[in-house]
């Protein structure tokens, strides 16, 4: 079975550690962000925010792995991976989620629900809104 | 054992839930497991929480919340760490990490320091 985790070699686009980028990024391959990025990213490929990377963005991708800092909403068709050093503040929508011990995640989460890649937009701004409280069931 | 602050009963046993439970709050100071057949409509608090079945409500754990592949969770999740197996469903607000648990861990530490240990 192939490893769904993106390896560092599979990224055709790299934003270097000393680079700052503002704008919209749309492409077919994978991107690795070692520096700072602000804007939107859209790709059917993989996105890796490496340890020193800082992302302030809306991301729609095939798969996303986070080792750095992310402020914004993530949407992945396949898997989102929050590794030990990850800090995510924002909403997350994916088919699969992996949170490694040590990672920080504050936001709304939708994992395992049908058709994550399309349809509903995630809220901008992330974690502020509480979810609808479940209705009180009848007492036993 | 009773809480030294509010004198309400504190459950210290590990809980294994494999049935339908609908209450306001379902809590233990120990670990809790909602088994595959478990269907819980409640806010759940535990030291460590494993969910294999269905939970509708907010889940809080001091250490780890583990969602197995058969888990269905709707509601907020708050813990130091979270493990989600592929196949699990989770919809709700999530606060994971030491930073987001600081207030609860601080309160737990204060209770531990000042509480009765092994009395009664």
């Amino acid at each position: 079975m192939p490893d769904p985790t993106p390896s560092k070699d599979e990224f055709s686009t790299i934003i270097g550690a000393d680079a700052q980028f503002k704008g919209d990024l749309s492409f077919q391959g994978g991107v690795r962000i070692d520096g700072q990025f602000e804007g939107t990213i859209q790709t059917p490929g993989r996105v890796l925010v490496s340890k020193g990377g800082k992302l302030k963005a809306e991301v729609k991708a095939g798969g996303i792995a986070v080792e750095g800092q992310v402020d914004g909403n993530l949407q992945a068709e396949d898997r989102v991976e929050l590794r030990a050093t990850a800090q995510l503040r924002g909403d997350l929508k994916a088919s699969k989620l992996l949170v490694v011990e040590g990672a920080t995640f504050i936001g709304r989460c939708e994992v395992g629900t049908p058709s994550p890649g399309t349809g509903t937009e995630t809220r901008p701004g992330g974690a502020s809104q509480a979810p609808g409280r479940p209705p009180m069931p009848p007492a036993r | 054992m009773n809480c030294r602050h509010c004198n309400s009963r504190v459950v210290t046993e590990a809980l294994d839930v494999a049935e339908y439970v609908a209450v306001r709050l379902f809590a233990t100071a120990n670990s809790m497991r909602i088994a595959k057949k478990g269907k819980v409509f409640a806010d759940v608090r535990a030291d460590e929480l494993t969910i294999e079945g269905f939970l509708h409500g907010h889940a809080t754990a001091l250490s780890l919340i583990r969602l197995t592949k058969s888990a269905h969770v709707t509601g907020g999740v708050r813990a130091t760490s979270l493990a989600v197996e592929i196949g699990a469903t989770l919809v709700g607000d999530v606060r994971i990490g030491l930073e987001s648990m600081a207030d609860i861990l601080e309160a737990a530490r204060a209770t531990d320091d000042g509480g009765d240990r092994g009395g009664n």
Side-chain angles (χ1 to χ4, degrees), chain A residues 19-78:
Chain A
Q20 286 187 16
F21 185 94
K22 273 188 190 181
D24 300 336
L25 208 53
S26 183
F27 51 94
Q28 292 298 311
V31 63
R32 192 177 94 211
I33 295 160
D34 297 340
Q36 292 181 32
F37 181 94
E38 209 175 317
T40 63
I41 297 175
Q42 201 153 6
T43 172
R46 308 229 173 244
V47 175
L48 169 66
V49 182
S50 55
K51 205 171 176 182
K54 284 184 181 175
L55 197 66
K56 224 175 193 177
E58 304 282 315
V59 182
K60 281 185 187 178
I64 303 167
V66 182
E67 294 170 355
Q69 208 174 307
V70 177
D71 279 293
N73 303 328
L74 305 182
Q75 191 172 333
E77 294 223 25
D78 185 33

Side-chain angles (χ1 to χ4, degrees), chain B residues 69-92:
Chain B
K69 58 186 177 186
S70 53
H72 290 270
V73 177
T74 313
V77 168
R78 200 171 173 200
T80 304
S81 54
L82 172 72
V84 184
E85 279 184 17
I86 288 168
T89 306
L90 168 61
V91 179

Side-chain angles (χ1 to χ4, degrees), chain A residues 79 87 89 96-97 99 101 103-113 127 129-131 133-140, chain B residues 19-24 41 43 56-58 76 80-84 86 88-97 99-100:
Chain A
R79 161 198 286 227
Q87 287 190 314
R89 283 169 193 275
K96 300 160 196 164
L97 171 67
V99 184
E101 192 174 343
T104 301
F105 170 27
I106 298 175
R108 187 170 168 78
C109 177
E110 245 178 86
V111 173
T113 51
Q129 189 183 321
R133 190 168 169 80
M136 197 61 201
R140 192 157 46 152
Chain B
E19 58 186 341
Y20 175 85
V21 176
V23 289
R24 192 176 292 274
F41 289 83
D43 286 353
H56 196 133
H58 294 289
T80 304
S81 54
L82 172 72
V84 184
I86 288 168
T89 306
L90 168 61
V91 179
D93 269 6
V94 174
R95 294 173 70 88
I96 297 298
E99 184 192 323
S100 60

Side-chain angles (χ1 to χ4, degrees), chain B residues 40-111:
Chain B
V40 176
F41 289 83
D43 286 353
V44 169
R45 286 183 204 161
D47 183 41
E48 191 176 319
L49 179 63
T50 301
I51 303 169
E52 297 169 7
F54 181 91
L55 172 66
H56 196 133
H58 294 289
T60 307
L62 284 181
S63 54
L64 171 73
I65 294 181
R66 198 163 73 88
L67 273 60
T68 67
K69 58 186 177 186
S70 53
H72 290 270
V73 177
T74 313
V77 168
R78 200 171 173 200
T80 304
S81 54
L82 172 72
V84 184
E85 279 184 17
I86 288 168
T89 306
L90 168 61
V91 179
D93 269 6
V94 174
R95 294 173 70 88
I96 297 298
L98 278 172
E99 184 192 323
S100 60
M101 289 292 287
D103 54 336
I104 294 180
L105 290 170
E106 186 61 39
R109 214 168 290 131
T111 305

